[in-house]
Amino acid sequence: MADNKQIATDVLALVGGAENVQVATNCMTRLRLTLVDNAKADVEKIKKVKGVLGCQFSGSQLQVIIGQNVPKVLDEFVAISGVKQGAAVNENLDAPKQKFELKQLPNIILDYLSGSMTQLIPLLMAGGLFRTFAVIIGPMMLNLVPETDPTYTFFYTTLYEATFTFLPIYLGYAAAKKIGATPVLGMLLGGVFMAPSIVAAAAQEGGGIISVYGIHIAAANYQQSVLPIILSVPVLYFVEKFFKKIMPDVLSTVFTPFCTMIVTVPIALIALGPVGNMLGNVIANALFAVSDAGQIGVLLVMAILGAFWQLFVVAGMHMPVILLAQVQIIAMGFDPFVFVSTNCAMTAVWGCAFGAFLKLKNKDEKGMALGYVISAIAGGVTEPALFGVLMRFRRTMLGMFIGGAIGAVASGLMGVTYYLAGGAANFMVIMNYFQGGQWNTIAAVIGMAISFVIAAAVVYMTGFSKEELAEMEEEEAPALA
């Protein structure tokens, strides 16, 4: 396998040298470069560098897909180029801001939604695992304690409620931080939705009425809601920005937050809160209306998601579905088919990489394929397998399509249900099914195992042409000579 220093050296040369690099950083699998002149980067040649799995521009940033060893490649890149990690070099502070275009709006909205929700993944994971732990020790699985046991109640109810009941407050903070508003004001706005007087009025028989500046509106229970606070925080941002601009500095500390909330609160309670609740109901009904089409309709959707989900991910089309499914889990506590299907798609990719490992003879390629398997199963990162196997050898996609679809359909027939919004993406994904009891967990394992085995078998038997295998063997021959 190519060493990290060589990868860094080759990439640096193909992006136009150190003088063309402004910022060098990385995410989990990608070397991310901000360049002075994007035209100097030879994307096609970078893709052919040994150890590089792919290369593309995302917006104005060049992303070089490397895999789990990307931090080491970044270290070498920084050492060779002299670019300080995460620091801009010769940044043009006078450069004009990118002009807003209407076609950018969907991407801006998705970035705001995903950036807000992603911050809550640790919280959602913790809350879900509290209840999962209770299920494991309770009567549904190990039966170590009864449902009436205080420890069971504490984990199953108290800690779970502490996580999800006050979700508008947590999300208010995250959304405000994402969009650039004052985070604690986002929390306060979430607290307004959660005010005990409003919750109590909403709980009254027939629905209660509250008064907002003398305007009487129907009280609503916004516990565990997502969209009302998500819609309200952007208003908070613009109102706060306005008052910061006009408020004298000597008064800003006290009166900017006060005036911001005075203006934002009625807009949130009278308009955006009800609209958010309505949209939430529409989204939930639309997302799960397929179940009304009967078992065949559900299985058809699951087969499509299982087969093609990873292509949606590569194309960047997956976030709307994920966000809707996460909203549904937060509101209802479970997901009967979206994440069930996508997890089968994920394990099908694992299987494709494993099938490639079994089939390939070239030692370098075989070693990389094994690395893809390990990074996917242990690290929860499927990009190396996607770009290192499926995108390079297109015939291997058949294994992903067939394995993912069959595993998803099998899971649907067994009634598998998924419970954690933002659950693990590695082998610990199985914990996302524990709340459904022993059979749900066993059925989930069976469904994902079907995807893995079928995908591996299809790739092993049909994933590579004779020409591709011969070419890889020829590449290895000179090294052995």
Side-chain angles (χ1 to χ4, degrees):
M1 296 178 67
D3 63 67
N4 299 318
K5 186 174 182 178
Q6 188 62 50
I7 295 173
T9 301
D10 293 344
V11 170
L12 180 61
L14 292 172
V15 298
E19 64 276 6
N20 195 40
V21 181
Q22 288 184 311
V23 179
T25 186
N26 71 288
C27 62
M28 188 172 290
T29 60
R30 303 184 183 203
L31 180 67
R32 295 172 175 259
L33 305 175
T34 302
L35 306 179
V36 176
D37 183 0
N38 290 341
K40 292 184 178 180
D42 193 330
V43 173
E44 293 306 314
K45 286 187 177 179
I46 293 174
K47 290 179 180 179
K48 296 178 181 179
V49 171
K50 191 172 184 180
V52 170
L53 306 178
C55 181
Q56 62 191 33
F57 276 100
S58 179
S60 61
Q61 188 181 66
L62 181 68
Q63 299 185 358
V64 184
I65 305 164
I66 293 173
Q68 296 283 65
N69 58 318
V70 68
K72 296 178 180 178
V73 174
L74 176 62
D75 290 342
E76 296 289 354
F77 189 92
V78 169
I80 295 169
S81 66
V83 177
K84 291 185 178 180
Q85 182 177 344
V89 177
N90 296 325
E91 182 179 13
N92 182 9
L93 298 175
D94 297 322
K97 293 183 178 179
Q98 187 174 1
K99 186 179 179 181
F100 171 78
E101 297 180 8
L102 188 61
K103 64 182 181 181
Q104 298 172 335
L105 186 59
N107 288 334
I108 293 173
I109 293 174
L110 283 177
D111 180 63
Y112 167 60
L113 292 174
S114 61
S116 301
M117 294 295 295
T118 300
Q119 295 178 64
L120 297 189
I121 286 178
L123 180 145
L124 298 175
M125 279 293 295
L129 289 175
F130 289 144
R131 179 163 285 186
T132 298
F133 176 73
V135 170
I136 293 173
I137 65 173
M140 295 181 69
M141 294 193 73
L142 299 181
N143 201 23
L144 300 177
V145 296
E147 288 185 0
T148 55
D149 186 270
T151 299
Y152 179 89
T153 302
F154 182 70
F155 279 95
Y156 191 87
T157 303
T158 306
L159 293 179
Y160 184 85
E161 288 179 345
T163 303
F164 290 95
T165 300
F166 304 103
L167 194 62
I169 297 176
Y170 308 140
L171 192 52
Y173 178 92
K177 183 178 179 181
K178 169 61 181 177
I179 205 171
T182 301
V184 292
L185 292 184
M187 291 179 67
L188 178 56
L189 189 58
V192 170
F193 282 119
M194 293 294 304
S197 58
I198 295 178
V199 174
Q204 293 178 9
E205 187 175 353
I209 299 295
I210 61 172
S211 175
V212 182
Y213 299 174
I215 301 173
H216 296 285
I217 61 172
N221 187 347
Y222 294 105
Q223 293 178 347
Q224 295 187 228
S225 67
V226 171
L227 291 180
I229 188 66
I230 282 289
L231 292 176
S232 300
V233 168
V235 175
L236 173 76
Y237 167 76
F238 286 109
V239 173
E240 183 185 25
K241 185 177 181 180
F242 170 77
F243 282 113
K244 281 183 176 179
K245 185 176 181 180
I246 67 169
M247 192 70 65
D249 291 342
V250 69
L251 301 176
S252 183
T253 301
V254 175
F255 287 102
T256 293
F258 174 76
C259 294
T260 298
M261 298 307 297
I262 285 292
V263 173
T264 305
V265 166
I267 298 174
L269 288 178
I270 296 172
L272 299 178
V275 169
N277 264 355
M278 181 182 69
L279 285 176
N281 292 332
V282 169
I283 289 170
N285 292 336
L287 185 62
F288 288 89
V290 66
S291 61
D292 295 333
Q295 184 76 351
I296 293 178
V298 173
L299 295 178
L300 177 61
V301 173
M302 294 185 75
I304 293 172
L305 288 174
F308 302 110
W309 178 252
Q310 294 294 337
L311 294 185
F312 296 165
V313 174
V314 171
M317 299 164 55
H318 61 303
M319 283 309 302
V321 180
I322 287 179
L323 290 169
L324 296 182
Q326 286 179 332
V327 169
Q328 176 66 17
I329 292 175
I330 291 168
M332 303 298 295
F334 64 91
D335 162 37
F337 67 88
V338 175
F339 284 121
V340 174
S341 304
T342 60
N343 282 337
C344 288
M346 176 182 69
T347 51
V349 173
W350 300 358
C352 289
F354 186 69
F357 166 72
L358 295 177
K359 184 69 174 179
L360 296 174
K361 304 300 182 183
N362 181 293
K363 290 183 179 180
D364 280 350
E365 295 289 350
K366 195 178 187 71
M368 286 192 292
L370 180 60
Y372 304 154
V373 176
I374 295 172
S375 69
I377 296 178
V381 181
T382 56
E383 279 187 319
L386 280 171
F387 290 96
V389 176
L390 287 104
M391 294 298 173
R392 287 177 62 202
F393 308 103
R394 300 298 172 85
R395 289 173 57 167
T396 61
M397 286 189 181
L398 187 63
M400 178 179 70
F401 297 153
I402 296 175
I406 294 177
V409 170
S411 298
L413 290 172
M414 292 184 289
V416 177
T417 305
Y418 182 98
Y419 288 90
L420 294 184
N426 58 3
F427 68 94
M428 294 183 68
V429 69
I430 193 59
M431 298 178 68
N432 304 343
Y433 300 91
F434 283 175
Q435 290 184 39
Q438 290 181 344
W439 167 246
N440 188 67
T441 305
I442 293 171
V445 172
I446 292 173
M448 290 187 286
I450 289 172
S451 291
F452 181 93
V453 172
I454 291 178
V458 171
V459 168
Y460 184 83
M461 292 185 292
T462 68
F464 302 92
S465 66
K466 292 181 179 178
E467 292 77 12
E468 288 172 334
L469 293 173
E471 183 180 348
M472 283 184 279
E473 290 178 6
E474 289 175 4
E475 289 176 356
E476 186 179 33
L480 296 176

